[in-house]
Amino acid sequence: DAGVIQSPRHEVTEMGQEVTLRCKPISGHNSLFWYRQTMMRGLELLIYFNNNVPIDDSGMPEDRFSAKMPNASFSTLKIQPSEPRDSAVYFCASTRDGYQPQHFGDGTRLSIL
Amino acid sequence: QKEVEQNSGPLSVPEGAIASLNCTYSDRGSQSFFWYRQYSGKSPELIMFIYSNGDKEDGRFTAQLNKASQYVSLLIRDSQPSDSATYLCAVTPMDSNYQLIWGAGTKLIIKP
């Protein structure tokens, strides 16, 4: 079975530009998580979806960040406008019914210049 | 504030020896415990999960859970250079069925 698929793998863009990260969860998994990982702060949960509905977005840092899950097989995380401090690795993970364990995608390494 | 604590390391272990990684957690009601391995530049990969007190073995890996003392450990027998990675401990808090509280990870180096 295919794992969690994320795109792009790397993104380099200038400050102020819009960034869109994409995720396809494992088929049959109905819970999806977006994480951000930095050396300073480790893994941080940004938002959690269950059955395509955002359940917990308390980790979204500010209004510049938004996430959608229009269907069971696709989610996006958007940053607009982007800032250098948004530079990090962004992971998407999925599970069945929110129960652990979580399975991670390969991540998107984002660099904002 | 729910916390998961790990020694950041690096923990250096000779090849063939037993590597012992430890993790303590603050939420006494936590029910599920996970160990993930993360190679540099890669994503976290699940190695073990444990729900009950005691030991759980899977190949060269053994997870140990002691809820009374609020710690969980991971033992790696016959350590190989390919085991060199950062090991992340994650715990499900009592008041959530989806959230994971993550430790900062322990960097393990297996020396040939």
Side-chain angles (χ1 to χ4, degrees), chain A residues 91-109:
Chain A
F91 289 108
C92 176
S94 71
T95 71
R96 196 181 305 278
D97 279 333
Y99 295 121
Q100 315 306 339
Q102 297 178 14
H103 298 269
F104 283 75
D106 288 337
T108 295
R109 186 172 297 274

Side-chain angles (χ1 to χ4, degrees), chain B residues 7-23:
Chain B
N7 188 317
S8 61
L11 174 65
S12 184
V13 174
E15 184 177 357
I18 296 175
S20 178
L21 304 163
N22 299 313
C23 169

Side-chain angles (χ1 to χ4, degrees), chain A residues 37 56 91 98 100-102 105, chain B residues 34 36 38 43 46 97-98 102:
Chain A
Q37 187 176 39
D56 181 358
F91 289 108
Q100 315 306 339
Q102 297 178 14
Chain B
F34 305 87
Y36 284 80
Q38 187 172 25
S43 62
L46 180 72
N97 67 348
Y98 66 88
W102 293 86

